[in-house]
Amino acid sequence: MSCLCLLWWAYQKLKIKHGMFAFEFLRTMLYFLFVMTLFYAGSQGDDNLQAMLVGAMMRKIKSRNWKKQRYFKLEDDFMTIWYQSKKAVSVNDVEAVREGHQSEVLLSIADEFPPDRCFTLVFRGRRGNLDLVAESAEEAQSWIWGMRKLIENVENMGEREKLDQWIGEWFKKADKNNDGRMNFKEVQDLLKMMNVDMNEHHAHHLFTMADKSQSGTLENDEFVLFYKMLTQREDVLKVFQEYSDGQKLSQSNLEDFLREEQLEGGDIQLHAKQLIECYEPSDKAKRMNAMTFDGFLMYLGSAEGSIFNPQRRGIFQDMTQPLCHYFISSSHNTYLMEDQLRGQSSVEGYIRALNRGCRCVEVDCWDGANGEPIVYHGHTFTSKILFKDVVSAVGNYAFKVSQYPVILSIENHCSVEQQRVMAHHLNHILGDRLLKTILDGKTPIRLPSPEDLKGKILVKAKKDGGLEQSLSGVSGCRLHSNDYLHSVSYFIYPLCFSQKSKQRLSKELSDCVVYCKSVHFTSFKHSRIHSKFYEVASFTESKARKHLREAGAEFVHHNSRQLSRVYPSGFRTDSSNFNPQEMWNAGCQIVALNFQTAGEGMDVNDGLFSQNGCCGYVLKPSFMREADIRFDPEMPQKRDDYHPVVLTIQVISGQQLPKVNIKEDSIVDPLVRVEVHGVPMDQAKQETRYIENNGFNPMWYDTLHFTIHTPELAMVRFVVEDYDKTSKNDFVGQYTLPLSCMQQGYRHIHLLSKDGTSIPPSSLFCGS
C-alpha cells in the first residue's frame, strides 16, 4: 500500500512541477519504484523470494575437492545476488536454473549430496556455471523457484523497463554513500562511468536545471530529469520533426513516414494504427490517433524498429526439402570448453551448443577403461568424458529449442567391442528418437527433409554397405580405412599416424547409421558417377578452399545432391575459427565451428542462424539447390538471374556504448565498421571516422556504400571499436545479420557482446 502512496505522491509532485510531462516522467521513474511496484508487490505473497531476501548459507562447488560455504542473499533491488564479500550475480546474466545433479561437477559429488539439495545457475554466453548445494531440500526449492521467478520477470520486461533498470543500476553505482541522492562530484564520476566526457560547465548547468529542490543534490525524480536532459535524442527528434507538427505525428503523418522512409508495404493504415496502440504512452494522444515523440522513440527502439525484420524471426522457410538443401548449424569438437590441446572436455559443451540451436555435434570416441568408450581429443592432454554421458546430454537437450533433427557426427576410434557398447548406449538412452531405419520402408531416391525428421537424432559415421543392402538384409563386418585423422595429430605426433590404420566396424554401430554414411572423398567426377545421396564427405578447411578455388561450380553442384562437412584445421590449436561464409559460398551444409570460441566466425554463424526461428536450418538459395544450374561463387555475374544490389548505410549515432577499459577515467573513441561477408566479389568493409571521448551518445552521420553481387548469400556485420592510435582497436560490440533480413529505413541495431549476448541499452542508429 505504501508503494501505491509513493507512486501517487510522485505523480502529484511531478504534475505540479512539470505539468503535461508528469505522466512521461512517472513512466521513467518506473525503475526507482521497481522494487516497491513490480518485484516487491509480486513478492509479498512469494515465500521463495522472501527467503532469498533473508539469505542462506550454501556450498559453492567447483570440484569434488573444492567445496566452500558461502552466504548468498538477494538484494533489495531484486536484480542482484551477493555472496562472499561483495561478489555479485546479476539476474540479467542468468539464463536458466537446473535442478538436481545436472552438471558434471554436481554429478561428481552425487554420493555426498542428494539431488534435491543441488542446483545450478546457468549463465548466458560462455561464462561458467555456478553449482550450489543448499542445507536442505526445502531451501534448495526456494532458491530454484525464486530464481525462475526473477528470470521470468526480467524476460517479461519491456524496452522502457529495461532502460529504467539500466538507469537505476548507474544511480546505485554513483551514489557512493547510499543516501539516495547525488552531489555534483558524484554526478561527474557517474558521467565518466557512463562513457561521457562532458564539459564541466555544461554538466553543472544540467545539474542545476535538474536540481528543482535547490538542495545541491539530485534525488530520484531529479536524477531522472537530469538523465532525460543528458540523453536528448536530437538525431531521432530531427526525423520526428520532418513528419510531425513538432508535437505529434498524426496517423496520416505516421503512414507517410512508414511508406516513404521505412519503405514498408502491406496495409500501412492498419500498421500505423497498431504502432500507436502498442508504443504510444499517452492515452490522450491515442484518443487522437496520434504519436508523440516518446511513442516514436519507443517504436524505433523496439523489435519492430530494429534492423532485423521481425517477419523473419519465426520459421518462414519451406522445411520440406531434402537435408542437403539447407545450411545446418554445426559444431566441431563439441565436447571441448577451451583449446584442443589441454582444454577441458565436458558434456556442458553439448548442452550449450544445442541450446544455441546447433543441429550437428561432433563426438570423438576412443576406448576407455572398464569397457566404457570415452570422448576426448585423441593424442592430446584434453580431459576425458564418458560416451554414455554425452549421449544422455544430447538426448536431454536435443529438442529444447528446435524440433528439427540433430546429427551426431561420430569419429570412431574404438575397438569392435567398445563400438558395440556405443551402439547399446545409443539405442538404450535415445530409444525411439534414434533414427534406425528409413522412413517409409522403401528405397529412397533423396534425403528426407527436416520436417520429415522432426524429433529424430541421426548418426553420421562409417557404415558397412549402404541403404540398399540394409533393406535387403545384407550386412556384415568388414575392414574399413579410417580415413579421417585429425590434422592436429599429424602436427603433434607425426610418427603415430604415418599410415592409415585399419579398423573393424561392428554391425551394431553400423546399423545405427542410415542417411549419413561417412565416406572418403575422391573427386567431384567420382562422386558424380558413383556417390549415393546418403553419403557424407568431410573436408578440412584447407581442402575445402582448394576445391572451391579449383572447381567452385562443381563443389556447389555436388552439395545440391549430398551433404558435405567442413571442419577447422588441426593447426588451430587455440580452437579458433575460420569464417564459415567461404564454405557456405560452396553450398557446404555442415560447416562445423568451435562454438566455445568467440569472434568473427561465430558472429557470422550466429547471424545466419538467427533467422527462421533459430531452428538450426536455413534454406539455401534456389541457384544452389537445383541440379541443372551451375553457380560459380567466383563469377556470380554469370548467373542467369544476376541482379546486384547497392547497399547504402548511414551510420547516424550510438547510444550508451559499454566501456572497454576498467579505468574509471577511460572513455571510448568509437568508430563503426560495416563488413559485408559473401562471395569473393562481395567481401568488403568500410569504416566511419572515430568520435573522440564519447561512448555515450556519439554522432557520425557517415554514409557507406556497397555493391553486392549475390545478395542471397550476403551477411552484414556491424562492429563498434574503440580507436587507438598506437595499438589494435578494442572490441566494443557487434551485430550480424543476413542482408535478406535487413529492414530498410531508420533502424536501431541492438549490439551484442563478444560472447554474443545482448548488452542493453547499447545500440547504433542507422538509416538505409
Side-chain angles (χ1 to χ4, degrees):
M1 195 65 190
S2 60
C3 167
L4 295 175
C5 292
L6 183 56
L7 269 172
W8 180 249
W9 169 83
Y11 176 73
Q12 293 298 330
K13 184 178 178 182
L14 287 167
K15 187 175 180 183
I16 294 168
K17 289 184 178 181
H18 306 295
M20 289 293 291
F21 297 102
F23 179 73
E24 171 191 330
F25 278 106
L26 189 60
R27 287 182 62 89
T28 314
M29 283 183 64
L30 182 60
Y31 176 74
F32 302 107
L33 301 171
F34 205 44
V35 173
M36 292 170 285
T37 54
L38 200 153
F39 278 104
Y40 186 72
S43 71
Q44 285 294 324
D46 194 319
D47 294 338
N48 298 323
L49 295 181
Q50 292 296 319
M52 291 175 70
L53 286 168
V54 172
M57 290 294 295
M58 291 188 282
R59 286 179 176 86
K60 180 182 176 184
I61 313 292
K62 284 190 176 180
S63 69
R64 186 169 179 83
N65 299 319
W66 197 104
K67 302 183 281 285
K68 303 284 187 182
Q69 287 274 10
R70 296 285 184 262
Y71 184 72
F72 290 81
K73 180 183 183 302
L74 176 65
E75 289 292 284
D76 290 341
D77 65 359
F78 283 72
M79 295 298 297
T80 312
I81 294 166
W82 287 98
Y83 70 99
Q84 190 197 355
S85 68
K86 296 191 176 180
K87 283 194 176 181
V89 172
S90 171
V91 176
N92 278 317
D93 296 335
V94 182
E95 184 173 69
V97 184
R98 293 188 202 146
E99 231 172 313
H101 299 148
Q102 289 200 59
S103 75
E104 283 167 307
V105 170
L106 291 178
L107 278 170
S108 72
I109 49 97
D111 59 338
E112 193 173 348
F113 300 105
D116 59 4
R117 289 174 55 193
C118 302
F119 64 98
T120 302
L121 301 186
V122 181
F123 294 100
R124 301 182 191 280
R126 293 169 174 81
R127 179 176 169 184
N129 298 339
L130 179 58
D131 292 300
L132 299 171
V133 177
E135 291 298 306
S136 68
E138 294 74 23
E139 195 169 72
Q141 281 299 305
S142 283
W143 279 79
I144 290 166
W145 288 104
M147 280 302 305
R148 287 174 178 168
K149 173 68 174 175
L150 295 174
I151 294 168
E152 181 187 359
N153 285 342
V154 169
E155 289 174 347
N156 289 336
M157 285 167 61
E159 293 301 318
R160 176 63 68 96
E161 291 167 337
K162 290 177 184 176
L163 178 60
D164 294 340
Q165 176 205 332
W166 184 81
I167 298 169
E169 286 175 353
W170 281 115
F171 185 92
K172 286 180 66 179
K173 288 178 185 177
D175 184 15
K176 300 291 187 184
N177 58 5
N178 297 316
D179 64 352
R181 59 185 66 193
M182 285 195 298
N183 58 39
F184 183 62
K185 175 63 170 63
E186 288 176 318
V187 168
Q188 284 181 300
D189 293 341
L190 172 66
L191 293 178
K192 288 180 180 177
M193 285 192 287
M194 297 174 84
N195 256 334
V196 185
D197 185 19
M198 184 178 288
N199 173 278
E200 183 175 344
H201 176 74
H202 181 57
H204 193 269
H205 174 67
L206 294 183
F207 180 92
T208 303
M209 289 180 63
D211 183 16
K212 298 296 183 181
S213 63
Q214 298 182 354
S215 64
T217 61
L218 300 183
E219 298 182 29
N220 283 350
D221 60 318
E222 293 171 334
F223 176 71
V224 172
L225 177 58
F226 172 78
Y227 177 81
K228 186 170 181 63
M229 291 188 291
L230 185 68
T231 56
Q232 290 279 0
R233 288 294 302 271
E234 298 295 336
D235 50 349
V236 177
L237 185 60
K238 183 178 177 182
V239 177
F240 179 78
Q241 288 176 336
E242 286 182 25
Y243 284 86
S244 71
D245 61 8
Q247 297 296 317
K248 63 184 182 305
L249 281 169
S250 67
Q251 182 175 320
S252 176
N253 296 150
L254 182 56
E255 290 170 15
D256 291 341
F257 172 77
L258 295 174
R259 188 180 300 108
E260 296 169 17
E261 300 292 352
Q262 308 298 73
L263 301 179
E264 294 190 6
D267 192 337
I268 296 289
Q269 186 178 21
L270 176 61
H271 190 206
K273 193 174 184 66
Q274 290 172 338
L275 291 180
I276 292 170
E277 185 61 35
C278 185
Y279 298 108
E280 176 50 50
S282 166
D283 290 334
K284 182 178 178 181
K286 282 183 181 179
R287 289 193 295 271
M288 297 168 64
N289 288 327
M291 180 177 276
T292 62
F293 177 69
D294 264 10
F296 187 67
L297 189 57
M298 287 179 68
Y299 151 61
L300 287 178
S302 72
E304 286 189 89
S306 78
I307 198 164
F308 197 107
N309 187 343
Q311 294 180 359
R312 294 187 171 241
R313 285 284 183 200
I315 293 174
F316 68 94
Q317 294 182 330
D318 177 8
M319 303 302 290
T320 64
Q321 300 203 26
L323 282 182
C324 56
H325 287 182
Y326 298 84
F327 296 123
I328 303 171
S329 181
S330 306
S331 166
H332 175 61
N333 290 346
T334 315
Y335 45 89
L336 287 180
M337 302 296 288
E338 302 163 38
D339 70 81
Q340 60 186 36
L341 293 184
R342 297 176 178 272
Q344 176 194 5
S345 300
S346 171
V347 296
E348 192 66 36
Y350 292 91
I351 295 170
R352 292 186 180 188
L354 291 166
N355 280 343
R356 291 178 67 174
C358 180
R359 298 289 87 189
C360 180
V361 296
E362 184 181 29
V363 192
D364 283 356
C365 305
W366 301 80
D367 281 357
N370 303 316
E372 283 292 344
I374 56 174
V375 174
Y376 82 113
H377 201 232
H379 306 292
T380 68
F381 299 104
T382 59
S383 61
K384 303 171 177 65
I385 53 178
L386 292 174
F387 175 77
K388 64 180 179 182
D389 290 344
V390 169
V391 177
S392 293
V394 171
N396 289 334
Y397 289 90
F399 306 111
K400 294 281 188 184
V401 300
S402 171
Q403 287 299 305
Y404 291 107
V406 167
I407 300 171
L408 285 181
S409 180
I410 293 180
E411 297 304 332
N412 173 19
H413 306 276
C414 291
S415 63
V416 171
E417 292 73 24
Q418 293 210 9
Q419 288 178 42
R420 293 192 181 106
V421 178
M422 289 168 60
H424 169 76
H425 289 323
L426 288 168
N427 282 281
H428 179 71
I429 296 171
L430 300 180
D432 291 342
R433 289 168 295 179
L434 178 67
L435 187 75
K436 288 286 301 279
T437 61
I438 59 175
L439 294 178
D440 57 6
K442 300 177 183 177
T443 304
I445 58 173
R446 69 174 199 173
L447 287 168
S449 70
E451 192 68 31
D452 295 331
L453 295 167
K454 265 187 172 180
K456 292 296 183 182
I457 297 172
L458 284 65
V459 172
K460 173 191 151 317
K462 296 288 184 183
K463 182 176 178 63
D464 195 35
L467 289 184
E468 300 83 1
Q469 291 91 332
S470 298
L471 283 169
S472 59
V474 178
S475 186
C477 190
R478 300 183 184 175
L479 287 173
H480 281 274
S481 172
N482 189 17
D483 55 62
Y484 175 86
L485 299 172
H486 285 300
S487 51
V488 67
S489 301
Y490 285 100
F491 178 64
I492 304 169
Y493 300 97
L495 299 178
C496 294
F497 292 90
S498 57
Q499 297 180 1
K500 290 182 178 179
S501 62
K502 293 292 183 179
Q503 179 191 38
R504 291 178 64 83
L505 184 63
S506 81
K507 179 181 184 301
E508 293 85 353
L509 186 59
S510 174
D511 287 347
C512 291
V513 179
V514 183
Y515 292 115
C516 298
K517 176 183 178 180
S518 296
V519 298
H520 174 71
F521 178 79
T522 303
S523 69
F524 291 124
K525 180 178 179 180
H526 181 274
S527 293
R528 195 165 57 249
I529 298 170
H530 300 289
S531 288
K532 307 295 186 182
F533 65 87
Y534 51 81
E535 294 178 338
V536 185
S538 290
F539 305 87
T540 63
E541 59 177 286
S542 54
K543 285 282 182 70
R545 284 195 195 97
K546 181 175 182 292
H547 291 310
L548 183 54
R549 192 168 53 247
E550 295 175 354
E554 279 296 308
F555 209 168
V556 174
H557 187 252
H558 171 86
N559 288 324
S560 70
R561 304 189 312 270
Q562 56 198 102
L563 294 168
S564 290
R565 180 176 183 268
V566 182
Y567 57 93
S569 161
F571 290 97
R572 294 181 179 271
T573 54
D574 59 350
S575 292
S576 60
N577 285 310
F578 57 85
N579 190 321
Q581 184 69 53
E582 56 186 330
M583 308 309 169
W584 296 331
N585 292 340
C588 297
Q589 304 88 350
I590 304 175
V591 181
L593 298 184
N594 292 297
F595 269 50
Q596 76 273 25
T597 308
E600 180 187 273
M602 276 307 301
D603 291 346
V604 174
N605 193 80
D606 289 344
L608 177 72
F609 292 104
S610 62
Q611 62 180 311
N612 205 35
C614 299
C615 73
Y617 286 84
V618 170
L619 189 64
K620 295 195 287 188
S622 59
F623 54 80
M624 304 185 97
R625 308 192 308 258
E626 297 171 12
D628 57 344
I629 293 179
R630 288 291 191 273
F631 170 70
D632 187 345
E634 294 285 341
M635 293 182 286
Q637 68 274 27
K638 291 193 173 183
R639 265 173 59 196
D640 290 341
D641 57 345
Y642 169 66
H643 296 295
V645 300
V646 175
L647 174 64
T648 300
I649 295 173
Q650 184 183 46
V651 181
I652 298 172
S653 64
Q655 294 76 45
Q656 290 90 58
L657 303 177
K659 291 176 76 73
V660 296
N661 194 315
I662 58 173
K663 294 180 181 177
E664 286 193 2
D665 60 349
S666 173
I667 296 171
V668 302
D669 305 324
L671 63 81
V672 179
R673 183 172 63 254
V674 179
E675 304 170 352
V676 175
H677 299 267
V679 297
M681 284 182 70
D682 290 342
Q683 294 290 125
K685 57 182 69 174
Q686 295 180 40
E687 291 180 352
T688 67
R689 60 207 159 87
Y690 71 91
I691 304 296
E692 195 167 355
N693 284 334
N694 189 352
F696 190 74
N697 55 357
M699 293 276 199
W700 289 279
Y701 281 99
D702 287 355
T703 301
L704 313 175
H705 301 277
F706 302 88
T707 299
I708 301 179
H709 301 272
T710 311
E712 299 90 340
L713 285 172
M715 303 289 297
V716 183
R717 183 171 182 247
F718 297 84
V719 186
V720 183
E721 290 183 343
D722 180 13
Y723 174 76
D724 196 307
K725 295 175 185 175
T726 58
S727 62
K728 185 180 178 182
N729 294 347
D730 288 319
F731 175 90
V732 174
Q734 68 85 30
Y735 189 80
T736 309
L737 77 165
L739 177 66
S740 61
C741 293
M742 280 181 63
Q743 294 201 100
Q744 299 183 81
Y746 289 102
R747 304 292 177 183
H748 277 95
I749 298 166
H750 300 282
L751 295 174
L752 304 175
S753 70
K754 193 172 185 178
D755 270 347
T757 56
S758 62
I759 43 176
S762 300
S763 64
L764 298 175
F765 185 51
C766 295
S768 63

